Amino acid sequence: MGNRPGRIAATTLVAVLAATLLGAPAATAAPPDYTTSEAGNPFTDGWYADPDTIVYGDRYWVFPTTSKSYAEQTYLDAFSSTDLVNWTKHANVLTKANVSWASYAMWAPAPIQRNGKYYLYFAANDIQNNASLGGIGVAVATQPQGPYADALGRPLIAQFQNGAQPIDQDVFIDDDGQAYLFYGGWGHANVVKLNADMISLGTHTDGSVYKEITPAGYVEGPQMFKRNGKYYLMWSEGGWTGPDYSVAYAIANSPLGPFTRLGKVLAQDAAVARGSGHNSVVNIPGTDTWYIVYHRRPLSETDGNHRQLAYDRMVFNADGTIAPVTMRVRDNFADNNALGWRTFGGSWSATGGRYTAANSLGGKALLDTNFGNFTYDADVAVTSGGGDAGLVFRVTNAATGADNYTGYYAGISPAGRVVLGRVNNNWTQLQATAMTVAVGTTYRLRVTAVGSSLKVYVDDMTTPKINVTDGTYPTGATGLRVFNAAAAFDNVAVSPPVGVGTNLAQGRPATGTTACQAAEGPEKAVNGTVNGGNTDKFCSAVTGAWLRVDLGAVRAINRFEVAHAQAGGESASLNTRAFTISVSADGVTWTQAVSATANTAATSTHPVGVSGRYVRLNVVTPTQNTDIATRIYELRAFG
């Protein structure tokens, strides 16, 4: 995978044969065209990181690092798929037994095919100086799944050059047939030319072997691809065990650069996953459909090596720049597994393209998410029993037991009702509405939660069956539940709220106090995203910082939302603690609409009933600690 035209063109004939040997279908299937991994992220089982990708014939391949302790990183696995949904694991494609100089820390395999052979570049031993044995090696095989064997009996790159630790290699063949290896850790990136034999290094036109191409912010994990004649270099920033791990990029007219940083593509989403980075890309051959493949850490995991493989759609703007990637939460169970789900009681099974639950008194299955405001959809069918089945949301403290959690539950029952309740180790019904529910019939169940507003829809997504106000639980996990019933679930999706108004502030002119740096001006707070990394915000270290937005005309406003530091991937301690929001028709006379004095939320929601052309946020206390900088990722005004 990865749009490396020379790489794909050179591999097609041999790889088709390889795919046939692997049992790939003879007929060409429709090319994948998904919004994300529709069958759920992670898309493979186990702890893996640093995925590199390639297309061999009609089969997509992912070669990752085995995410364990250094001493246990003595082998590499691979995964392949014909549809990006169903994946086959190929264990031990390369092991240290086939590399005489490798002892541990086998990292970041990079695959390519040439000369009728399959090459796999890898790092080993995590060398810390030039006196140590290790670096970047190259292994070769006669088929994509290996087994691969060391091609040289020594590292291909065994020394620090230009300050770059010899790790995190990526291989790229340009349209003219020239092969390159991009690599480097410790904040430095190099590019070398590979000779036609793919196991020796060439020289650049100036006679040098190692050319430094380090862009601003670079830490590790370079990835090169080409689109519409432009060369895209992506890399990882931040610390690999931290929530700030992320992906940035640059565009150049040459594979040698210069590469000027344009911004972040992928960062943590505090509602979905942390530590998102070290990516590759997938271009579906013959299309302009792209995906970013990367690793990330589940929200509840604290072990640095507990990383999983994921992919999401990658979209290009008209000018060729990359839109910030959104981590979407979907699962249609087409892969007949429930990776990423954790169960609490009951008996659960992914089969036949659905997630089924046997009859139990309160069995739950949860995703490791932390949503506050959202629209949550799923297909629900009660298959037996007189109880109910449906969606749990804003869940914390989950354990086995009928009501052993805190949060909310919305369900449907063949007893003839739709019900919504609040749970805190006991059940409090908030509302029930009569509705005919037939056993075995599938219904589309939707919950929209915005602040204290909770709405439940069944099939009709215009008029809610239930509409209540309850703000007891602001955020938590999303999941599924049965009570005295068996059920089948499908097409799970968690999305931003819908049907709750338009963000009138998005894209409007914004002004404010002096920014922390030029890239963190007021306009960043109205660009509609918090996914562009920690510079995708308005930052001001001025005492009494303020942010003002011109809506263009006097507009009715029913809700404000403020996305704070945590929403953009920074520490929760940096969320704005105290602030006010005021409105004005003329920019002179102001009416205060919101006063927050002890905010701790990543995104705070403020229902109002006001109107005005101008909206102004005034900061009283910038953060929870002594940091004086205000961080506003988004100021939203809904009408």
Side-chain angles (χ1 to χ4, degrees), residues 27-40:
T28 301
D33 186 11
Y34 311 135
T35 62
T36 180
S37 177
E38 301 283 353

Side-chain angles (χ1 to χ4, degrees), residues 341-358:
W341 293 85
R342 182 181 178 188
T343 61
F344 299 85
S347 177
W348 297 81
S349 175
T351 182
R354 300 193 301 177
Y355 199 23
T356 61

Side-chain angles (χ1 to χ4, degrees), residues 212-461:
E212 183 167 10
I213 54 166
T214 307
Y218 176 91
V219 173
E220 60 193 13
Q223 169 75 192
M224 167 60 64
F225 68 95
K226 190 175 185 180
R227 177 182 181 269
N228 292 343
K230 298 292 185 179
Y231 297 85
Y232 290 74
L233 180 69
M234 306 176 86
W235 64 88
S236 293
E237 300 181 344
W240 71 273
T241 60
D244 60 337
Y245 203 54
S246 53
V247 176
Y249 80 109
I251 304 175
N253 293 319
S254 163
L256 304 181
F259 295 103
T260 301
R261 185 184 188 278
L262 293 176
K264 287 188 185 290
V265 172
L266 177 70
Q268 84 152 5
D269 185 329
V272 181
R274 297 176 292 135
S276 308
H278 203 126
N279 75 294
S280 183
V281 298
V282 180
N283 172 225
I284 305 303
T287 77
D288 197 31
T289 299
W290 296 77
Y291 301 95
I292 182 170
V293 184
Y294 59 96
H295 73 243
R296 66 193 197 188
R297 187 172 297 106
L299 294 178
S300 65
E301 292 291 343
T302 57
D303 187 323
N305 277 313
H306 283 184
R307 296 172 289 178
Q308 298 174 320
L309 302 185
Y311 71 83
D312 282 290
R313 189 69 171 259
M314 191 168 72
V315 176
F316 293 85
N317 301 315
D319 62 359
T321 57
I322 306 173
V325 172
T326 298
M327 291 189 207
R328 302 187 186 277
V329 178
R330 302 280 190 274
D331 204 335
N332 62 15
F333 306 104
D335 54 4
N336 290 316
N337 69 50
L339 299 178
W341 293 85
R342 182 181 178 188
T343 61
F344 299 85
S347 177
W348 297 81
S349 175
T351 182
R354 300 193 301 177
Y355 199 23
T356 61
N359 193 315
S360 71
L361 291 176
K364 299 178 290 295
L366 299 180
L367 290 171
D368 195 352
T369 54
N370 188 33
F371 284 97
N373 299 333
F374 56 85
T375 292
Y376 179 19
D377 291 286
D379 292 339
V380 182
V382 178
T383 53
S384 68
D388 45 65
L391 315 181
V392 286
F393 56 98
R394 293 181 176 174
V395 172
T396 57
N397 305 313
T400 300
D403 295 320
N404 223 345
Y405 64 102
T406 60
Y408 299 95
Y409 167 69
I412 56 175
S413 171
R417 68 177 183 272
V418 183
V419 64
L420 173 66
R422 183 179 66 238
V423 182
N424 183 11
N425 297 311
N426 56 67
W427 170 257
T428 300
Q429 182 172 294
L430 297 176
Q431 188 174 325
T433 302
M435 176 184 168
T436 300
V437 177
V439 172
T441 298
T442 297
Y443 299 87
R444 188 64 171 171
L445 185 59
R446 166 177 289 177
V447 172
T448 293
V450 179
S452 60
S453 172
L454 307 177
K455 298 180 181 180
V456 181
Y457 303 80
V458 184
D459 285 348
D460 176 3
M461 298 304 164

Side-chain angles (χ1 to χ4, degrees), residues 381-597:
V382 178
T383 53
S384 68
D388 45 65
L391 315 181
V392 286
F393 56 98
R394 293 181 176 174
V395 172
T396 57
N397 305 313
T400 300
D403 295 320
N404 223 345
Y405 64 102
T406 60
Y408 299 95
Y409 167 69
I412 56 175
S413 171
R417 68 177 183 272
V418 183
V419 64
L420 173 66
R422 183 179 66 238
V423 182
N424 183 11
N425 297 311
N426 56 67
W427 170 257
T428 300
Q429 182 172 294
L430 297 176
Q431 188 174 325
T433 302
M435 176 184 168
T436 300
V437 177
V439 172
T441 298
T442 297
Y443 299 87
R444 188 64 171 171
L445 185 59
R446 166 177 289 177
V447 172
T448 293
V450 179
S452 60
S453 172
L454 307 177
K455 298 180 181 180
V456 181
Y457 303 80
V458 184
D459 285 348
D460 176 3
M461 298 304 164
T462 302
T463 304
K465 297 289 187 183
I466 292 176
N467 186 354
V468 304
T469 299
D470 189 286
T472 306
Y473 303 117
T475 63
T478 50
L480 308 168
R481 180 179 182 263
V482 294
F483 181 79
N484 193 28
F489 303 89
D490 202 355
N491 296 316
V492 172
V494 186
S495 310
V498 297
V500 292
T502 301
N503 180 8
L504 305 172
Q506 185 171 336
R508 298 301 305 168
T511 55
T513 45
T514 303
C516 297
Q517 56 181 335
E520 297 177 330
E523 70 282 353
K524 289 295 184 69
V526 292
N527 67 358
T529 176
V530 299
N531 294 324
N534 61 17
T535 58
D536 190 14
K537 66 175 180 290
F538 167 58
C539 177
S540 180
V542 174
T543 301
W546 57 266
L547 172 67
R548 188 171 112 162
V549 183
D550 180 358
L551 304 182
V554 174
R555 309 294 297 270
I557 303 167
N558 57 49
R559 183 177 86 257
F560 289 109
E561 291 181 3
V562 185
H564 303 281
Q566 187 180 3
E570 297 189 78
S571 169
S573 67
L574 300 177
N575 291 341
T576 311
R577 179 176 178 82
F579 56 93
T580 63
I581 301 175
S582 300
V583 295
S584 173
D586 57 9
V588 177
T589 303
W590 294 85
T591 300
Q592 182 174 297
V594 173
S595 177
T597 58

